[in-house]
Amino acid sequence: MLVLLPPSEGKASSGRGAPLKPESLSLPGLADARAAVLDELVELCVADEEKACEVLGLSEGLRGEVAKNTELRTAGARPAGEIYTGVLYDALGLSSLDAAAKRRAARSLLVFSGLWGAVRVTDRIPSYRCSMGVRLPGLGALGGHWRTAMASVLPEVAGGGLVLDLRSSAYAAAWKPKGEIAGRTAGVRVLHAPTRKVVSHFNKATKGRIVRALLSAGVAPKGPAELVEALRDLGYVVEVEAPARAGRAWSLDVLVDEIH
């Protein structure tokens, strides 16, 4: 099972660990694309704070994020699972998983990123600010920048099992499973059952709980149909929209009564 996650806007501080070693990151086939984004992002933030704020979409209160980006090569690095915070990651609670579930998380979770492309939760990275929706002056839209590199790397990473896609649309733009892989890919929406509407905070928290439950139970569905069974066994109410033809991803709606 491969679980595709979005990052979080908010991130923990880098801390005092050893600095980034780009060559140590997973998915080495993304190295050149990572270097291109890192070089331009650091150069932009060092050269022109005002322009950097504009490009990164930062409000006045987030101006300090530019300074953070100027130190990406020298700042301390921590496991990505500690850097990413926010609603989904709080609900996932990586640090409180038991040892076996942590090993499953290390193998199964892949976090998409405007700066790194995609990283494992064990990859050591510094805190940064650069969403997939950013358009850098030189490289252009990051979703488009990552697409070619991802297309060559991700099919092998996906292996032969389920791909559980929990990314937001901006991060989904960087890689869209195709063909046989798409046929064993499932996207999930979380709906408030009484209204049948997506509520952002509630949606993210429930997705985090779903991933935690799968990891804790040691469940490794081989495809979307097995995922539906596993989620129902874990107590979730799931509605299924199976694809009309082969080579299309499945869509699952998880219905939850309470928003919390």
Side-chain angles (χ1 to χ4, degrees), residues 124-177:
R124 298 181 65 85
I125 60 174
S127 187
Y128 67 96
R129 187 72 175 225
C130 184
S131 72
M132 191 66 80
V134 163
R135 179 181 292 273
L136 290 175
L139 292 176
L142 290 179
H145 169 75
W146 284 112
R147 208 165 289 138
T148 299
M150 292 285 191
S152 67
V153 171
L154 266 293
E156 181 178 353
V157 177
L162 170 73
V163 177
L164 175 54
D165 191 351
L166 302 179
R167 298 171 297 167
S168 57
S169 58
Y171 291 90
W175 182 61
K176 182 177 181 180

Side-chain angles (χ1 to χ4, degrees), residues 22-188:
E23 69 279 4
S24 72
L25 296 178
S26 302
L27 284 60
L30 300 179
D32 289 345
R34 285 171 176 150
V37 180
L38 180 62
D39 287 348
E40 184 171 353
L41 181 62
V42 171
E43 181 179 348
L44 169 68
C45 292
V46 168
D48 190 334
E49 183 179 285
E50 291 296 332
K51 185 173 183 180
C53 283
E54 179 183 348
V55 169
L56 297 175
L58 300 177
S59 65
E60 185 64 30
L62 294 173
R63 183 175 290 268
E65 299 291 284
V66 175
K68 179 191 294 185
N69 283 348
T70 67
E71 299 175 349
L72 286 172
R73 294 192 179 91
T74 57
R78 297 167 59 185
E82 297 178 12
I83 289 290
Y84 294 118
T85 59
V87 176
L88 188 154
Y89 290 90
D90 286 347
L92 173 53
L94 285 170
S95 64
S96 62
L97 291 172
D98 64 35
K102 284 180 179 177
R103 289 193 294 271
R104 296 180 195 111
R107 294 192 303 267
S108 302
L109 306 187
L110 198 64
V111 184
F112 275 62
S113 161
L115 175 52
W116 313 115
V119 293
R120 302 285 190 186
V121 293
T122 51
D123 284 331
R124 298 181 65 85
I125 60 174
S127 187
Y128 67 96
R129 187 72 175 225
C130 184
S131 72
M132 191 66 80
V134 163
R135 179 181 292 273
L136 290 175
L139 292 176
L142 290 179
H145 169 75
W146 284 112
R147 208 165 289 138
T148 299
M150 292 285 191
S152 67
V153 171
L154 266 293
E156 181 178 353
V157 177
L162 170 73
V163 177
L164 175 54
D165 191 351
L166 302 179
R167 298 171 297 167
S168 57
S169 58
Y171 291 90
W175 182 61
K176 182 177 181 180
K178 296 181 179 179
E180 182 271 335
I181 299 175
R184 50 186 167 85
T185 296
V188 173

Side-chain angles (χ1 to χ4, degrees), residues 234-250:
L234 290 167
Y236 288 97
V237 177
V238 183
E239 293 182 351
V240 185
E241 184 179 336
R245 61 180 184 270
R248 295 292 183 92
W250 290 47

